[in-house]
Amino acid sequence: MTQKNDDSEEDILRSYEQDEWRSVKEFKKLKEEYEAYARNTSNKNKRINIRISESDLNRLKAKSLEEGIPYQTLVSSLIHLYVSGKTTP
C-alpha cells in the first residue's frame, strides 16, 4: 500500500526532479551554526500557541527541510534571533 503525498511534498519532489536543488556552500559551518541554535532553543521552559496561515506553515516546513531542522526549532531560532537584535522582521 502506498501513501499519497500532500501538496507541499509534491512541490518538493517536483523541485528535486527538476534539478533545482543545490549544495550548500560552507555546509559544515552552517550546520554548526544551526546546531548551536538548536542547543540554545532546547533550553525551553515556556510554551506558546500561535495561529498562522496554512500557506505560511507549509513554507515554514519547506524552509525547515532545507535547513535540516524541525520547523518548531526553526521558529524558536527565528524568535531568538529577532529578540536578540540579530535580525529584523
Side-chain angles (χ1 to χ4, degrees):
M1 185 162 107
T2 60
Q3 187 175 8
K4 187 176 186 235
N5 295 336
D6 67 22
D7 289 341
S8 62
E9 292 169 327
E10 288 294 331
D11 287 343
I12 292 168
L13 182 58
R14 191 173 16 263
S15 172
Y16 176 77
E17 289 173 344
Q18 292 175 356
D19 199 31
E20 295 175 348
W21 293 47
R22 299 289 175 252
S23 295
V24 175
K25 293 179 182 172
E26 299 183 24
F27 175 77
K28 257 187 168 174
K29 179 181 175 188
L30 195 58
K31 181 181 176 213
E32 289 172 1
E33 183 179 322
Y34 280 97
E35 285 174 344
Y37 293 153
R39 275 191 304 278
N40 289 334
T41 59
S42 68
N43 299 328
K44 303 172 201 160
N45 59 7
K46 295 292 181 186
R47 175 185 295 242
I48 65 168
N49 293 314
I50 61 171
R51 292 186 179 273
I52 64 173
S53 71
E54 185 174 355
S55 63
D56 284 346
L57 180 59
N58 289 336
R59 290 191 305 245
L60 180 65
K61 287 181 177 181
K63 287 287 187 184
S64 73
L65 284 173
E66 289 174 19
E67 301 297 336
I69 58 176
Y71 75 93
Q72 296 97 333
T73 303
L74 178 59
V75 170
S76 184
S77 295
L78 292 170
I79 291 170
H80 176 75
L81 288 171
Y82 177 72
V83 299
S84 300
K86 296 178 182 174
T87 188
T88 58

